Amino acid sequence: MTGMDEFLGRLDYPMYVVTAVAGEERAGCLVGFASQCSIEPVRFMVWLSTANRTYRVASSAEFLAVHLLGRAQHDLAERFGGRTGDEVDKFAGLAWREGPAGTALLDAVPTWFVGRVESRVEGGDHVGFLLAPAEASAGPGDRQPFRLSDGADIDAGHPAKDT
């Protein structure tokens, strides 16, 4: 293990479900690479794997929805992280609604924001989507976020990059 591997192995960042809608297409995935990146104006960056269907849908979307999972929401983390939208409809049988700007909001996740895509940044096997918040909800629910370590048992539904 290299020094960088050891450094990264100590991180236990929050996990999010990012949903994207473009035309008739809808997609979503579990995301660990995301963070606020500006205070004034507030901006948030989410990084999507170029191998994922969500990335392909988000590439045509004007807005994305970012859902902050609670620690007890392992089922949603597994649904959006352990399956690939290339093979299954992750929204099938799931309560969701149309949100601001036509986004898809998950009913079970009361803490979310919708952001307008300001720019996209290449970053190796991921592309960063710089979001300007348009609307947000910090509803009731688990105030402890679902973290990387909480999902250690989830096998990714798609490899990190195309082979």
Side-chain angles (χ1 to χ4, degrees), residues 2 4 7-9 13-14 23 38 41 45-46 51 82 93 99 110 121 126 128 132 136 146-147 161:
T2 69
M4 190 63 188
F7 176 88
L8 295 173
Y13 39 82
S38 175
M45 182 74 88
V46 296
V121 179
H126 283 64
F146 186 88
R147 297 194 165 277
K161 58 183 179 176

Side-chain angles (χ1 to χ4, degrees), residues 2 9 11 16 18 25 30 44 76 82 86-87 103 105 108-109 128-129 150 160:
T2 69
L11 301 179
Y16 307 86
V18 174
E25 290 191 276
L30 186 65
F44 197 90
L76 281 173
D86 292 326
E87 298 172 1
T103 55
L105 296 178
V109 187
F129 290 74
D150 297 321

Side-chain angles (χ1 to χ4, degrees), residues 96-118:
W96 67 276
R97 67 191 181 285
E98 184 174 316
T103 55
L105 296 178
L106 307 177
D107 288 352
V109 187
T111 304
W112 53 264
F113 83 91
V114 169
R116 181 177 47 80
V117 177
E118 285 201 330

Side-chain angles (χ1 to χ4, degrees), residues 13-15 68-72 142-148 150:
Y13 39 82
M15 303 293 285
L68 179 60
L69 298 179
R71 180 150 276 159
D142 188 350
R143 296 194 52 89
Q144 294 298 314
F146 186 88
R147 297 194 165 277
L148 177 64
D150 297 321

Side-chain angles (χ1 to χ4, degrees), residues 2 14 22 24 33 48 53 55 61 69-71 84 87 89 92 124 126 128 144-145 152-155 157 159-160:
T2 69
E24 298 298 314
F33 302 153
L48 301 177
R53 181 173 182 275
Y55 162 75
L69 298 179
R71 180 150 276 159
T84 173
E87 298 172 1
D89 178 358
H126 283 64
Q144 294 298 314
D153 63 325
I154 299 172
D155 291 326

